[in-house]
């Protein structure tokens, strides 16, 4: 059998995967032909092959593409699917795990999420798919790591339901209050940079970054936990605006947020968001871990620092997931 290709990346066309790929190529100077880029869309082939990268189609919904894509691969970077329905997402992830097992992949690096920190206690809806996937990886017998990625600071418009036209951010009255929420936000680019370093150096060369719990978790967070209301202050500093915060009772907040939402998100979306915001208030993403700083070799940006920078660079900043499909 030929020597396995060292790295296969899923999610290469997305924001996080693209950053991992560019760090591998331009920071670590990994030869492009030792990396396989993938996408669900075959027409992306030329975009990668023109850079001397290998390319394979990998669609989590089409098991046959995964069986073919994962053949003879040492490290599989398994990006969690962007599917929002947990049942469908679990089915996609099960396909990835079964195909990786069948292909005999050397190690799976699963990109999970940091809600619940090192435990499984968060009630946030989408986090349940990550817990489930980690369990399946554990039961599969595969050699795997769960990279629990901190809540993206870049996704602040989603967290606040903020648009460039917003004059007042609406927040639900919760207990503990949102002013006391604590989130160790992390920037997507820094997460990507750190993941590339892990893939290149391997755990063996990084004794202070060791996976924890039976789920082999590496928790990647920003340097401090900040309240989501602090992000509004960062927007105002970066854009020189005076966006305010209005607090509403939860039911009223759902109604008011869903009414004429600029992104077209409906009531059900905000009902799920209420659970999300409650999780942030309960400290689901509060734990700060030094692993990201160790991997970057510098202090990571905090959530407010990233937000202030992003909106000062681009006052019309938007986040794709803030808009209904
Ligand atoms: N930490 C956080 O706060 C946070 C925030 C938002 C999202 N996330 C999670 O992190 C992931 C990556 O984030 P991102 O910002 O890079 O997302 P993104 O820009 O939306 O990119 C998603 C990537 O996932 C790939 N993908 C999605 N569904 C797939 C499927 N069924 N089969 C194969 N590939 C699939 C897409 O590939 P193709 O379209 O080329 O096939 C694309 O490259 C997301 O999918 C989501 O699970 C985390």
């Amino acid at each position: 059998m030929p020597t396995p290709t060292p790295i296969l990346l899923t999610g290469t066309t997305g924001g996080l995967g693209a950053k991992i790929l560019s760090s591998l190529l331009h920071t670590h100077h990994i030869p492009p032909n030792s990396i396989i880029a993938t996408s669900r869309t075959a027409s992306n082939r030329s975009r990668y092959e023109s850079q001397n990268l290998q390319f394979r189609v990998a669609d989590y919904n089409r098991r046959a593409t995964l069986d073919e894509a994962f053949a003879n691969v040492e490290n599989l970077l398994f990006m969690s699917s962007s599917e929002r329905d947990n049942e469908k997402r679990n089915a996609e992830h099960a396909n990835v795990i079964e195909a990786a097992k069948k292909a005999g992949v050397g190690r799976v690096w699963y990109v999970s999420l940091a809600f619940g920190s090192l435990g499984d206690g968060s009630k946030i809806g989408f986090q349940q798919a990550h817990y489930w996937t980690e369990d399946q990886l554990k039961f599969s017998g595969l050699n795997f790591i769960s990279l629990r990625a901190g809540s993206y600071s870049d996704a602040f418009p989603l967290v606040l339901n903020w648009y460039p036209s917003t004059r007042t951010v609406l927040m639900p009255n919760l207990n503990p209050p949102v002013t006391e929420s604590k989130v160790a936000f992390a920037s997507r680019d820094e997460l990507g940079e750190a993941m590339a370093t892990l893939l290149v150096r391997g755990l063996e060369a990084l004794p202070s970054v060791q996976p924890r719990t039976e789920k082999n978790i590496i928790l990647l967070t920003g340097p401090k936990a900040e309240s989501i209301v602090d992000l509004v202050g960062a927007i105002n500093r970066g854009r020189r605006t005076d966006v305010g915060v209005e607090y509403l009772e939860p039911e009223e907040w759902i109604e008011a947020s869903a009414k004429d939402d600029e992104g077209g998100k409906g009531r059900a979306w905000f009902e799920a968001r209420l659970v999300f915001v409650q999780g942030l208030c309960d400290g689901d993403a509060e734990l700060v871990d030094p692993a990201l700083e160790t991997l970057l070799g510098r202090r990571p940006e905090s959530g407010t620092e990233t937000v202030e920078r992003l909106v000062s660079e681009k006052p019309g900043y938007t986040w794709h997931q803030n808009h209904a499909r």
Side-chain angles (χ1 to χ4, degrees), residues 11-17 39-41 44 58-61 79-82 89 92 113 149-152 188 319-321:
T12 335
T13 59
L16 182 60
S39 168
R40 284 170 288 190
T41 313
N44 280 316
D59 182 339
Y60 301 169
N61 275 305
M79 188 67 72
S80 50
S81 160
S82 41
R89 197 184 216 193
E92 292 184 4
L113 259 178
S151 190
Y152 290 170
R188 185 167 70 173
W319 181 256
H320 61 299
Q321 291 169 320

Side-chain angles (χ1 to χ4, degrees), residues 16 19 186-195 223 292 296 298-302 306:
L16 182 60
K19 181 64 190 183
S187 98
R188 185 167 70 173
D189 276 358
E190 290 190 330
L191 288 167
E193 196 181 323
M195 289 177 191
L292 183 60
L296 294 174
R298 62 174 190 275
R299 178 187 174 276
E301 263 186 344
S302 71
T306 302

Side-chain angles (χ1 to χ4, degrees), residues 10-11 16 60 77-83 89 92-93 96 109-113 129-130 133 147 149 152:
T10 59
L16 182 60
Y60 301 169
L77 191 285
F78 170 14
M79 188 67 72
S80 50
S81 160
S82 41
E83 170 59 57
R89 197 184 216 193
E92 292 184 4
H93 287 185
V96 175
W109 302 81
Y110 172 58
V111 181
S112 181
L113 259 178
H130 294 288
T133 305
L147 301 170
Y152 290 170

